[in-house]
């Protein structure tokens, strides 16, 4: 066990220079004093993040999906409650592309297998595909309530499941479609 990590209780407080202090040991029963807790700020979460993307500006800055580019690992995409997706440089936090046009929270944003295309989809079922070389939208469709989406691992094919139970498969950018209807019920005798 790491001596700098507390076993339970209020945890460790970062004192700088890599030194951590076990607050339970140092303050004992005083840790029950709400004024002391507020004064030393232990109710605030310790943020150890290397980078923060603050562009999502929904009610609570909620982000619902994040994915890293398959070949350019300094690029990431995020989608959120603000009905937008963004491509970021993860080292500088620079916003490289804003994918707008969605009408609901963006719950899927991911790159295809070689990173040349980006698909974004919202809860309402509006789906867009962006060509990264030009940062232009090249395909979109407005469908019904989305449950899930994913790229095919070997081809530019987008698979999407809807609340109805149907699964659609779109070849991008042609839009050729195959629909897998809701399952057929069978009875075993």
């Amino acid at each position: 066990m790491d001596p700098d990590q507390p076993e339970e209780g209020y945890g460790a407080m970062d004192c700088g220079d890599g030194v951590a202090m076990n607050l339970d040991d140092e303050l004992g029963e005083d840790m029950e004093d709400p004024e002391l807790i507020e004064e030393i700020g232990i109710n605030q979460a310790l943020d150890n993040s290397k980078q923060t993307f603050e562009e999502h500006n929904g009610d609570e800055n909620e982000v619902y999906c994040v994915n890293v580019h398959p070949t350019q690992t300094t690029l990431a995409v995020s989608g959120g409650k603000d009905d937008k997706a963004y491509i970021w440089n993860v080292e500088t936090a620079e916003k490289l592309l804003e994918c707008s046009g969605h009408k609901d929270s963006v719950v899927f944003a991911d790159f295809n297998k070689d990173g040349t295309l980006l698909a974004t989809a919202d809860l309402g079922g509006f789906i867009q595909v962006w060509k990264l070389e030009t940062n232009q939208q090249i395909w979109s469709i407005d469908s019904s309530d989305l449950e899930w989406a994913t790229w095919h691992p070997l081809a530019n094919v987008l698979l999407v499941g809807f609340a109805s139970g149907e699964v659609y498969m779109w070849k991008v950018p042609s839009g050729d479609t195959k629909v897998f209807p809701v399952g057929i019920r069978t009875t075993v005798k």
Side-chain angles (χ1 to χ4, degrees):
M1 183 172 119
D2 184 349
D4 291 333
Q5 298 297 317
E7 292 181 30
E8 58 183 78
Y10 287 98
M13 181 175 186
D14 186 355
C15 300
D17 296 329
V19 176
M21 172 176 71
N22 186 316
L23 295 176
D24 289 331
D25 292 343
E26 297 294 327
L27 299 174
E29 292 180 21
D30 290 335
M31 288 307 300
E32 303 304 319
D33 181 357
E35 290 177 11
L36 178 62
I37 290 171
E38 185 175 332
E39 181 182 325
I40 62 174
I42 62 169
N43 284 341
Q44 298 176 4
L46 182 60
D47 183 358
N48 289 325
S49 60
K50 298 284 184 192
Q51 192 59 264
T52 303
F53 307 120
E54 297 183 359
E55 193 70 29
H56 288 283
N57 59 10
D59 294 340
E60 299 169 12
N61 295 331
E62 295 178 17
V63 173
Y64 297 130
C65 56
V66 175
N67 282 292
V68 176
H69 192 279
T71 61
Q72 299 177 44
T73 56
T74 59
L75 299 181
V77 62
S78 62
K81 187 175 181 178
D82 59 356
D83 305 348
K84 294 179 183 174
Y86 298 96
I87 296 180
W88 307 94
N89 179 312
V90 298
E91 292 176 348
T92 66
E94 177 187 3
K95 176 180 68 172
L96 303 174
L97 176 64
E98 178 180 313
C99 304
S100 57
H102 288 282
K103 304 170 208 160
D104 204 343
S105 299
V106 175
V107 294
F108 173 77
D110 200 3
F111 303 97
N112 68 335
K113 66 178 175 69
D114 61 5
T116 58
L117 301 175
L118 168 71
T120 60
D122 67 33
L123 280 171
F126 184 61
I127 303 165
Q128 301 180 87
V129 176
W130 306 81
K131 186 174 183 175
L132 297 183
E133 182 179 50
T134 61
N135 286 346
Q136 296 296 311
Q137 178 192 348
I138 59 166
W139 184 82
S140 69
I141 191 162
D142 203 355
S143 50
S144 60
D145 292 344
L146 182 95
E147 288 290 322
W148 58 269
T150 191
W151 281 104
H152 187 281
L154 300 175
N156 288 335
V157 173
L158 196 57
L159 300 146
V160 182
F162 295 99
S164 65
E166 293 179 319
V167 174
Y168 280 64
M169 183 172 69
W170 283 289
K171 191 174 184 182
V172 177
S174 72
D176 293 344
T177 306
K178 180 164 178 91
V179 179
F180 300 92
V182 177
I184 300 170
R185 293 184 182 195
T186 60
T187 305
V188 177
K189 293 184 181 186

